[in-house]
Amino acid sequence: MHYEVTGPDNGKPVVLMHGWGCNHTTVRSIAAILEPGMRVFNLDLPGHGSSQEPSSAWGVYEYTDCIEEFCNRLGIQDPVLIGHSFGGRIGLLMSSRNPVSRMVLVDGAGLKPKRKPKYYIKVYSFKAAKKVLPIVLGKKLGGKIIDKWRGSAGSADYRNSSPMMRAVMSKCVNQDLRHVLPDIKASTLLIWGEKDTATPISDAKYMEKHIPDAGLVSFPDAGHYSFLDNPAGFRAVMREFFKNDLK
């Protein structure tokens, strides 16, 4: 697994985790805020950037196991966890079962969205087609039609992923982590863009309500990448939250 380390050797350790389809360079501006006083481990999560893909279809639990093992091998104890989007899933689970003093979720994922009937009709129609078309039309022609259907129906992240990472993504997005929220002891900062359509502000409000020690800061004109959409506001909030570490 590829990672980048910045900041002083004796600084408070920070594990920084990017979103799906991104890599450590996407969140490097977040690392830059913390580097003056904190030791930042900025990761390429497995299957992203320069890190190898998992050998099987991992879910959030396997990703969390991996990051916990990463911390164990490097001797990182009681890290600060920062997760954007998909990285937030790992942060939620990891902080619910480990001693984590602080966590920042930036437009974080982890709550399975409520779907309309139209969505399930599309999903189950596709699953039925995967079984029937290769039998009726043959594996080659049936496979081509299925691949074309998958490409037109899936999200951009899904279409741009390898077959293995598509399986990983499907597994992860269907894992709802609501049940772990009450177990999180970390002081949690939620930073959100109010125009976020990938992980809506309603998710942040739910997390704020159900994580025992959580507070929400939202930016009205920002979307899913709130740290890029409002860099000055994001920097100010982060510096305030970590003011004792950045002196």
Side-chain angles (χ1 to χ4, degrees):
M1 186 167 68
H2 178 82
Y3 60 97
E4 182 178 81
V5 186
T6 54
D9 293 342
N10 62 347
K12 177 70 176 177
V14 178
V15 176
L16 178 56
M17 298 171 287
H18 59 78
W20 187 272
C22 302
N23 58 53
H24 75 281
T25 64
T26 310
V27 292
R28 191 175 271 159
S29 62
I30 299 178
I33 298 170
L34 305 176
E35 289 166 6
M38 306 176 79
R39 186 73 164 170
V40 183
F41 296 83
N42 190 358
L43 315 181
D44 276 353
L45 294 171
H48 297 80
S50 298
S51 294
Q52 292 181 332
E53 290 185 358
S55 57
S56 60
W58 281 12
V60 181
Y61 285 83
E62 289 83 0
Y63 268 96
T64 305
D65 290 342
C66 175
I67 304 308
E68 289 173 349
E69 178 62 18
F70 171 83
C71 291
N72 289 336
R73 291 195 183 194
L74 272 66
I76 301 172
Q77 297 181 347
D78 185 25
V80 171
L81 300 180
I82 301 179
H84 171 244
S85 191
F86 177 72
R89 295 181 186 274
I90 302 169
L92 287 173
L93 184 57
M94 188 169 170
S95 62
S96 73
R97 62 188 199 184
N98 291 278
V100 174
S101 60
R102 284 168 294 171
M103 176 170 63
V104 181
L105 300 181
V106 185
D107 303 289
L111 305 185
K112 185 177 179 180
K114 293 181 179 180
R115 307 288 193 180
K116 295 181 180 179
K118 182 179 179 181
Y119 169 83
Y120 291 102
I121 292 172
K122 182 172 69 173
V123 168
Y124 288 111
S125 296
F126 178 72
K127 288 184 176 180
K130 283 176 65 177
K131 293 182 178 180
V132 174
L133 289 180
I135 297 173
V136 176
L137 301 177
K139 289 186 177 180
K140 188 174 182 179
L141 179 57
K144 284 184 178 180
I145 294 174
I146 291 167
D147 287 341
K148 186 176 180 180
W149 188 352
R150 179 186 288 117
S152 62
S155 67
D157 283 340
Y158 187 85
R159 291 195 301 270
N160 294 331
S161 298
S162 69
M164 177 59 74
M165 295 308 291
R166 287 176 179 175
V168 169
M169 184 180 182
S170 295
K171 187 172 182 179
C172 288
V173 299
N174 284 299
Q175 291 179 308
D176 196 338
L177 298 176
R178 294 171 198 265
H179 65 285
V180 309
L181 302 185
D183 297 327
I184 295 173
K185 303 299 188 293
S187 179
T188 303
L189 171 63
L190 306 166
I191 306 180
W192 238 261
E194 294 181 12
K195 293 185 177 179
D196 189 341
T197 57
T199 53
I201 190 69
S202 58
D203 286 7
K205 293 178 179 178
Y206 185 94
M207 292 181 189
E208 182 184 28
K209 183 177 179 180
H210 291 88
I211 296 174
D213 182 14
L216 170 63
V217 176
S218 63
F219 301 128
D221 295 325
H224 189 56
Y225 291 81
S226 58
F227 63 102
L228 298 178
D229 293 339
N230 189 344
F234 183 86
R235 188 182 308 110
V237 171
M238 289 287 282
R239 285 179 174 172
E240 176 62 24
F241 190 63
F242 293 108
K243 60 184 177 183
N244 292 331
D245 299 286
L246 299 178
K247 290 181 179 179

